[in-house]
Amino acid sequence: MNELAEPFERLLADACTPAVVRAIEGGAPAAPLWSRIEASGFLDALVGEAAGGAGLRLVDACALFVVEGRHAAPVPIGHTLLVRALLAREGIAAPRGPIAIAAQTYLGADGAVSCPGTPHGQVADWIATAAPDGWRLLPAARAERRSTGVHGSLRANLRWAAVPAEAIACAQTVAWPEAGAAIAAAQLAGALRRVLEITLAFADGRVQFGRSIGKFQAIQHALAVMAEHVLAAHMAAEIGCAGDGPLPAALRAALAKARTSEAAALVANSAHAVHGAIGITAELDLQLLTRRLHEWRADFGSETHWNRALGRALLAADGLALDFMRAALIPSQPEIRR
């Protein structure tokens, strides 16, 4: 963990405990947690120094997204970091409150705006949406907001009958699916590592037939495979966030989300297999993270979606597959840090 992530880890370890996550999932207000995060200053990490921020690049903030994932954060920290940076680039002051990025935006002929399955849509104050001439920030309070009905999920279906007067319009074009995918990949990487840590501790402490189950070869094999996927996911997440500025390169984001989403299902299944029936109980923290793994796996496109995107890009490129990977996917920056 680097020097940027360590204080953020301490903050979330104290403010975003499993009890807090459970409470917000159950309908408790997210404002107390958000106030502590907002007061910490981390939300302006990607904002340029001239605008009062830290001036970090997306690759630097990757570690923050990973920590967010480790704690199954029930508020859109990574989304808010990115949107605040994009607003600052246009000289627009960011509104207070959590900002979520819409995974999908549909514009109706009657002027309505619909954003189904918006990540953190139930707790966000603002929603970043695509628009024909750039993008908009829409106030969630003015939307018809409905839960998706999935237990513990903070996604929401949002619909505005018309663009509200309070909307903030931005002229720059943003590839929101790729931006959201890069953040989700790093969140997945953090949650994956925490699931592995919990499972290792359980296997070491659970005793059957006079010894810990972690001593059995079948369990050791499952843990080893989990560790391989966790490491690969972290490498992919770093590649997805590599580059200058606050926005990711499209193909690198595709690679990151494809690999981390693939790992999410495999690691979650293995973790529950090691834990047995106790793993799904509400009292155990494991299910807080594995539910996030399955949700973030689908947000902004699953591995199937992004593997297809990579395949189309490969077919359209000239040369060998290895040349394509080197040119499009492998970061050239030597300063990627853990």
Side-chain angles (χ1 to χ4, degrees):
M1 192 175 294
N2 63 29
E3 59 185 13
L4 176 67
E6 286 177 357
F8 192 55
E9 168 72 29
R10 291 195 296 271
L11 170 66
L12 291 192
D14 181 57
C16 188
T17 62
V20 170
V21 174
R22 286 182 171 89
I24 293 174
E25 286 185 346
L33 170 61
W34 189 256
S35 295
R36 291 194 60 180
I37 295 170
E38 201 163 40
S40 71
F42 280 104
L43 295 179
D44 286 327
L46 290 172
V47 173
E49 293 183 8
L56 301 181
R57 301 161 304 163
L58 190 65
V59 66
D60 302 313
C62 179
L64 300 180
F65 307 150
V66 170
V67 173
E68 178 184 3
R70 278 182 58 83
H71 292 276
V75 287
I77 301 171
H79 292 191
T80 304
L81 260 77
L82 177 59
V83 173
R84 286 171 76 112
L86 296 179
L87 289 170
R89 281 171 45 164
E90 296 205 22
I92 300 173
R96 294 182 66 86
I99 303 170
I101 297 172
Q104 305 173 79
T105 302
Y106 296 100
L107 307 176
D110 59 353
V113 180
S114 299
C115 299
T118 299
H120 292 108
Q122 292 189 48
V123 295
D125 289 343
W126 297 85
I127 310 295
T129 67
D133 52 353
W135 61 281
R136 298 189 189 102
L137 204 57
L138 303 182
R142 295 291 302 276
E144 176 190 344
R145 178 159 42 181
R146 293 182 294 107
S147 167
T148 58
V150 178
H151 171 71
S153 175
L154 296 171
R155 285 180 183 157
N157 299 320
L158 299 111
R159 184 182 184 276
W160 294 262
V163 176
E166 304 94 321
I168 300 172
C170 301
Q172 61 185 309
T173 300
V174 177
W176 288 117
E178 286 79 3
I183 294 172
Q187 293 169 331
L188 282 167
L192 284 163
R193 178 159 290 176
R194 183 64 186 132
V195 166
L196 175 62
E197 292 169 356
I198 290 173
T199 308
L200 285 168
F202 178 83
D204 186 55
R206 181 75 169 181
V207 175
Q208 291 287 339
F209 307 109
R211 56 177 177 165
S212 67
I213 63 172
K215 301 293 186 181
F216 292 97
Q217 187 174 11
I219 299 296
Q220 290 177 342
H221 174 75
L223 294 172
V225 172
M226 287 174 65
E228 291 174 2
H229 284 292
V230 170
L231 180 58
H234 274 264
M235 293 172 65
E238 288 183 341
I239 290 173
C241 290
D244 295 324
L247 291 170
L251 291 180
R252 292 177 187 168
L255 168 70
K257 190 57 165 61
R259 187 62 186 89
T260 53
S261 288
E262 177 189 5
L266 296 168
V267 170
N269 290 345
S270 293
H272 281 287
V274 172
H275 279 79
I278 195 175
I280 62 172
T281 58
E283 293 78 12
L284 209 66
D285 293 342
L286 176 68
Q287 51 82 28
L288 294 178
L289 290 151
T290 54
R291 284 193 286 106
R292 286 289 191 277
L293 288 180
H294 286 297
E295 188 161 295
W296 289 338
R297 175 193 179 192
D299 285 344
F300 300 100
S302 68
E303 64 270 31
T304 301
H305 172 83
W306 291 113
N307 280 329
R308 286 174 177 165
L310 291 168
R312 287 193 295 268
L314 172 59
L315 292 174
D318 294 327
L320 302 174
L322 183 58
D323 294 331
F324 166 77
M325 292 176 63
R326 286 172 173 163
L329 303 178
I330 309 248
S332 58
Q333 293 81 1
E335 64 271 24
I336 293 181
R337 299 183 292 276
R338 293 194 180 278

